[in-house]
Amino acid sequence: MYVPWRKVYSWHCVACGKCCIDFKPKLTYYEYLKLRKTGFVEEKAGRYYIKKINGKCPFQIDNLCSLQGSLKPISCKVFPFLVRKKPAKNEDLAYYEYDGEEYYVYVSTYCKNTILSKNPTENLKKLVKEAIELVIGRKREVEWITWVQSSKPKV
Ligand code: SF4
Ligand code: SF4
């Protein structure tokens, strides 16, 4: 389930790797073309995805993602955030103005580290802004939406 970002107090990633097992990331056509030679991507009804191999994303090694930089899909870079130009629901609570443009940002509650409550922390607002910047190409690389460096991934 996705909720508007103003209903989220905080989020952080501990690199548990679960979302890469349960989710099937959508790709843009350009991302699909870049990854096609791996054999791990597929087209279904005009939409593009990473295939599940043995029940998980084939790019996941141990609990971490082996795709970095421009190869990592935007939907993965911004997870658990979802940025839309049109509101899906709860327009006011999802609204974010960036550079004079309207965006609507939602956060997945799948991750157990998505903590719901009013009054998002300043850090959560920073993550929302970064998600927008990544989606619109203002920023190429993730700086803040990343796993907590002090947490050791389980291997
Ligand atoms: S986003 Fe959440 S579910 Fe995904 S790896 Fe990080 S902590 Fe785990
Ligand atoms: S591409 Fe990387 S971040 Fe995306 S689902 Fe696969 S392992 Fe996870």
Side-chain angles (χ1 to χ4, degrees), residues 50-152:
I50 294 176
K51 289 178 186 172
K52 287 273 185 230
I53 309 278
N54 297 326
K56 64 171 207 157
C57 174
F59 297 114
Q60 189 184 38
I61 296 179
D62 297 328
N63 282 350
L64 301 178
C65 179
S66 63
L67 295 180
Q68 296 303 326
S70 64
L71 286 177
K72 188 162 177 164
I74 286 287
S75 62
C76 295
K77 281 181 176 172
V78 304
F79 185 84
F81 298 93
L82 178 68
V83 177
R84 291 174 172 265
K85 276 301 280 175
K86 291 184 180 169
K89 56 183 177 178
N90 291 323
E91 177 177 351
D92 292 346
L93 294 175
Y95 179 78
Y96 191 104
E97 184 180 329
Y98 179 86
D99 209 10
E101 296 281 325
E102 290 181 11
Y103 295 93
Y104 297 89
V105 182
Y106 300 85
V107 188
S108 171
T109 58
Y110 168 88
C111 177
K112 65 179 173 50
N113 300 316
T114 299
I115 309 300
L116 300 182
S117 184
K118 291 178 186 168
N119 302 324
T121 61
E122 288 306 310
N123 189 57
L124 194 279
K125 292 177 191 169
K126 191 164 70 174
L127 302 181
V128 169
K129 181 169 176 266
E130 181 170 66
I132 293 170
E133 290 173 332
L134 288 163
V135 166
I136 67 176
R138 188 67 60 89
K139 196 169 185 178
R140 295 283 170 205
E141 294 308 323
V142 170
E143 189 178 1
W144 305 111
I145 306 173
T146 185
W147 60 287
V148 178
Q149 299 294 326
S150 58
S151 302
K152 294 221 176 1

Side-chain angles (χ1 to χ4, degrees), residues 24 32 40-44 47-51:
K24 190 165 178 164
Y32 167 77
F40 291 153
V41 295
E42 63 188 351
E43 182 265 334
K44 277 188 182 171
R47 296 190 176 186
Y48 305 95
Y49 302 91
I50 294 176
K51 289 178 186 172

